[in-house]
Amino acid sequence: MPLNNFGGILAFAAELEQADADFYRALADNPALGDLAPVCARFAADEAKNLEAVLRTRRENVTEMILEPVRDFSRAPFQAARPAAAGLDRAGALAAAREIEAKAADFFTQAAAKLAAMPEVNRALKMLAKKRNKHLEELAGL
């Protein structure tokens, strides 16, 4: 599905943050993950904060929704598989989390570039990309 305007991009960003928060909450509840559970709980809280930031950005910049359309941007490259958390072992959970964070960081980076004409939105999206890249760095060390 194409992301062809400001509203579509921020709606997808909100969906992404909500889905990732839900996935990390489910991972945090998986007793098989041991020391990874607190990391997942923190990531879930981070994604919930990110969701609030996306919704605030959309609300504060709603007048920007009438800008010209965005071209050549779609959801498909940024959609990560979120397997059932209850059935994952530590290696599977880490692999899923790495894919989620990499795709989210890429989405926010590209979305920021697509909305470069909107400085406040661009800055917010870059901040979200930076947060996701920090998660990736942390996951690389686990």
Side-chain angles (χ1 to χ4, degrees), residues 1 3 12 74-80 103:
M1 175 181 258
L3 299 170
F12 179 67
S74 70
R75 296 169 172 247
F78 310 111
Q79 292 177 315
K103 288 188 177 200

Side-chain angles (χ1 to χ4, degrees), residues 4 6-7 10 16 18 24 26 32 34 37 39 60 74 78-79 84 86-87 91 96-97 113 129 141:
N4 53 14
F6 166 83
L10 287 203
L16 187 70
Q18 183 65 58
Y24 284 126
V39 173
E60 290 173 356
S74 70
F78 310 111
Q79 292 177 315

Side-chain angles (χ1 to χ4, degrees), residues 78-100:
F78 310 111
Q79 292 177 315
R82 291 177 189 85
L88 289 177
D89 61 7
R90 190 175 195 282
L94 280 171
R98 287 179 183 131
E99 178 187 7
I100 285 169

Side-chain angles (χ1 to χ4, degrees), residues 10-11 18 20 28 32 39 46 48 53 57 62 66 69 81 102 113-114 125-126 128 137-138 142:
L10 287 203
Q18 183 65 58
D20 293 351
V39 173
D46 289 348
T57 299
V62 73
I66 59 173
K114 292 287 185 182
L125 293 172
K126 283 181 178 178
L128 293 171
E137 289 173 17
E138 184 173 348
L142 297 175

